[in-house]
PDB file of all heavy atoms in Angstrom:
ATOM      1  N   LEU A 440      25.645 -17.022  27.795  1.00 96.00           N
ATOM      2  CA  LEU A 440      26.506 -15.840  27.571  1.00 96.00           C
ATOM      3  C   LEU A 440      25.755 -14.674  28.263  1.00 96.00           C
ATOM      4  O   LEU A 440      24.567 -14.595  28.199  1.00 96.00           O
ATOM      5  CB  LEU A 440      26.568 -15.507  26.056  1.00 96.00           C
ATOM      6  CG  LEU A 440      27.172 -16.534  25.140  1.00 96.00           C
ATOM      7  CD1 LEU A 440      27.126 -16.161  23.728  1.00 96.00           C
ATOM      8  CD2 LEU A 440      28.696 -16.811  25.529  1.00 96.00           C
ATOM      9  N   TRP A 441      26.569 -13.746  28.853  1.00 96.00           N
ATOM     10  CA  TRP A 441      25.957 -12.599  29.552  1.00 96.00           C
ATOM     11  C   TRP A 441      26.342 -11.348  28.947  1.00 96.00           C
ATOM     12  O   TRP A 441      27.563 -11.175  28.529  1.00 96.00           O
ATOM     13  CB  TRP A 441      26.422 -12.704  31.066  1.00 96.00           C
ATOM     14  CG  TRP A 441      25.952 -13.793  31.776  1.00 96.00           C
ATOM     15  CD1 TRP A 441      26.398 -14.962  31.955  1.00 96.00           C
ATOM     16  CD2 TRP A 441      24.664 -13.802  32.495  1.00 96.00           C
ATOM     17  NE1 TRP A 441      25.577 -15.837  32.664  1.00 96.00           N
ATOM     18  CE2 TRP A 441      24.449 -15.110  33.040  1.00 96.00           C
ATOM     19  CE3 TRP A 441      23.595 -12.944  32.711  1.00 96.00           C
ATOM     20  CZ2 TRP A 441      23.415 -15.505  33.805  1.00 96.00           C
ATOM     21  CZ3 TRP A 441      22.505 -13.281  33.397  1.00 96.00           C
ATOM     22  CH2 TRP A 441      22.404 -14.589  33.949  1.00 96.00           C
ATOM     23  N   VAL A 442      25.372 -10.497  28.671  1.00 97.00           N
ATOM     24  CA  VAL A 442      25.590  -9.165  28.066  1.00 97.00           C
ATOM     25  C   VAL A 442      24.850  -8.123  28.966  1.00 97.00           C
ATOM     26  O   VAL A 442      23.714  -8.348  29.330  1.00 97.00           O
ATOM     27  CB  VAL A 442      25.132  -9.175  26.641  1.00 97.00           C
ATOM     28  CG1 VAL A 442      25.158  -7.748  26.065  1.00 97.00           C
ATOM     29  CG2 VAL A 442      25.840 -10.122  25.718  1.00 97.00           C
ATOM     30  N   ALA A 443      25.540  -7.007  29.209  1.00 96.00           N
ATOM     31  CA  ALA A 443      24.863  -5.877  29.819  1.00 96.00           C
ATOM     32  C   ALA A 443      24.091  -5.092  28.844  1.00 96.00           C
ATOM     33  O   ALA A 443      24.626  -4.823  27.748  1.00 96.00           O
ATOM     34  CB  ALA A 443      25.893  -5.017  30.564  1.00 96.00           C
ATOM     35  N   CYS A 444      22.891  -4.665  29.163  1.00 97.00           N
ATOM     36  CA  CYS A 444      22.040  -3.972  28.186  1.00 97.00           C
ATOM     37  C   CYS A 444      22.371  -2.494  28.134  1.00 97.00           C
ATOM     38  O   CYS A 444      22.368  -1.840  29.208  1.00 97.00           O
ATOM     39  CB  CYS A 444      20.476  -4.179  28.566  1.00 97.00           C
ATOM     40  SG  CYS A 444      20.000  -5.924  28.521  1.00 97.00           S
ATOM     41  N   ASP A 445      22.591  -2.040  26.963  1.00 96.00           N
ATOM     42  CA  ASP A 445      22.863  -0.605  26.795  1.00 96.00           C
ATOM     43  C   ASP A 445      21.598  -0.008  26.255  1.00 96.00           C
ATOM     44  O   ASP A 445      21.118  -0.288  25.214  1.00 96.00           O
ATOM     45  CB  ASP A 445      23.969  -0.453  25.748  1.00 96.00           C
ATOM     46  CG  ASP A 445      24.419   1.003  25.545  1.00 96.00           C
ATOM     47  OD1 ASP A 445      23.928   1.847  26.309  1.00 96.00           O
ATOM     48  OD2 ASP A 445      25.176   1.286  24.534  1.00 96.00           O
ATOM     49  N   GLY A 446      21.051   0.881  27.044  1.00 94.00           N
ATOM     50  CA  GLY A 446      19.741   1.567  26.648  1.00 94.00           C
ATOM     51  C   GLY A 446      18.511   0.654  26.926  1.00 94.00           C
ATOM     52  O   GLY A 446      18.615  -0.198  27.823  1.00 94.00           O
ATOM     53  N   THR A 447      17.502   0.803  26.161  1.00 97.00           N
ATOM     54  CA  THR A 447      16.218   0.099  26.324  1.00 97.00           C
ATOM     55  C   THR A 447      16.217  -1.117  25.398  1.00 97.00           C
ATOM     56  O   THR A 447      16.142  -1.034  24.213  1.00 97.00           O
ATOM     57  CB  THR A 447      15.090   1.067  26.041  1.00 97.00           C
ATOM     58  OG1 THR A 447      15.077   2.184  26.789  1.00 97.00           O
ATOM     59  CG2 THR A 447      13.760   0.309  26.160  1.00 97.00           C
ATOM     60  N   PRO A 448      16.224  -2.325  26.039  1.00 97.00           N
ATOM     61  CA  PRO A 448      16.022  -3.484  25.199  1.00 97.00           C
ATOM     62  C   PRO A 448      14.684  -3.587  24.484  1.00 97.00           C
ATOM     63  O   PRO A 448      13.761  -2.999  25.002  1.00 97.00           O
ATOM     64  CB  PRO A 448      16.213  -4.685  26.248  1.00 97.00           C
ATOM     65  CG  PRO A 448      16.827  -3.983  27.440  1.00 97.00           C
ATOM     66  CD  PRO A 448      16.351  -2.619  27.414  1.00 97.00           C
ATOM     67  N   SER A 449      14.665  -4.273  23.335  1.00 97.00           N
ATOM     68  CA  SER A 449      13.411  -4.466  22.630  1.00 97.00           C
ATOM     69  C   SER A 449      13.061  -5.918  22.563  1.00 97.00           C
ATOM     70  O   SER A 449      13.986  -6.709  22.217  1.00 97.00           O
ATOM     71  CB  SER A 449      13.515  -3.830  21.256  1.00 97.00           C
ATOM     72  OG  SER A 449      12.327  -3.947  20.531  1.00 97.00           O
ATOM     73  N   ILE A 450      11.804  -6.205  22.798  1.00 97.00           N
ATOM     74  CA  ILE A 450      11.325  -7.649  22.771  1.00 97.00           C
ATOM     75  C   ILE A 450      10.339  -7.807  21.652  1.00 97.00           C
ATOM     76  O   ILE A 450       9.280  -7.013  21.582  1.00 97.00           O
ATOM     77  CB  ILE A 450      10.718  -8.002  24.070  1.00 97.00           C
ATOM     78  CG1 ILE A 450      11.656  -7.693  25.236  1.00 97.00           C
ATOM     79  CG2 ILE A 450      10.316  -9.554  24.057  1.00 97.00           C
ATOM     80  CD1 ILE A 450      12.880  -8.446  25.360  1.00 97.00           C
ATOM     81  N   ALA A 451      10.513  -8.769  20.753  1.00 95.00           N
ATOM     82  CA  ALA A 451       9.662  -8.978  19.657  1.00 95.00           C
ATOM     83  C   ALA A 451       9.614 -10.471  19.381  1.00 95.00           C
ATOM     84  O   ALA A 451      10.064 -10.959  18.372  1.00 95.00           O
ATOM     85  CB  ALA A 451      10.010  -8.262  18.392  1.00 95.00           C
ATOM     86  N   THR A 452       9.188 -11.192  20.400  1.00 92.00           N
ATOM     87  CA  THR A 452       9.194 -12.682  20.373  1.00 92.00           C
ATOM     88  C   THR A 452       7.954 -13.326  19.754  1.00 92.00           C
ATOM     89  O   THR A 452       7.756 -14.545  19.906  1.00 92.00           O
ATOM     90  CB  THR A 452       9.456 -13.234  21.748  1.00 92.00           C
ATOM     91  OG1 THR A 452       8.543 -12.554  22.699  1.00 92.00           O
ATOM     92  CG2 THR A 452      10.865 -12.977  22.209  1.00 92.00           C
ATOM     93  N   GLY A 453       7.097 -12.523  19.031  1.00 89.00           N
ATOM     94  CA  GLY A 453       6.077 -13.110  18.315  1.00 89.00           C
ATOM     95  C   GLY A 453       4.817 -13.342  19.041  1.00 89.00           C
ATOM     96  O   GLY A 453       4.577 -12.926  20.229  1.00 89.00           O
ATOM     97  N   LEU A 454       3.942 -14.183  18.439  1.00 88.00           N
ATOM     98  CA  LEU A 454       2.559 -14.511  19.062  1.00 88.00           C
ATOM     99  C   LEU A 454       2.834 -15.160  20.406  1.00 88.00           C
ATOM    100  O   LEU A 454       3.720 -15.924  20.732  1.00 88.00           O
ATOM    101  CB  LEU A 454       1.880 -15.402  18.189  1.00 88.00           C
ATOM    102  CG  LEU A 454       1.459 -14.880  16.810  1.00 88.00           C
ATOM    103  CD1 LEU A 454       0.942 -15.908  15.847  1.00 88.00           C
ATOM    104  CD2 LEU A 454       0.404 -13.801  16.994  1.00 88.00           C
ATOM    105  N   THR A 455       1.916 -14.754  21.321  1.00 91.00           N
ATOM    106  CA  THR A 455       1.924 -15.263  22.663  1.00 91.00           C
ATOM    107  C   THR A 455       1.368 -16.742  22.691  1.00 91.00           C
ATOM    108  O   THR A 455       0.894 -17.241  21.681  1.00 91.00           O
ATOM    109  CB  THR A 455       1.079 -14.406  23.607  1.00 91.00           C
ATOM    110  OG1 THR A 455      -0.223 -14.274  23.009  1.00 91.00           O
ATOM    111  CG2 THR A 455       1.615 -12.976  23.793  1.00 91.00           C
TER     112      THR A 455
END
Side-chain angles (χ1 to χ4, degrees):
L440 303 172
W441 292 91
V442 172
C444 298
D445 183 13
T447 301
S449 179
I450 310 294
T452 46
L454 294 168
T455 53

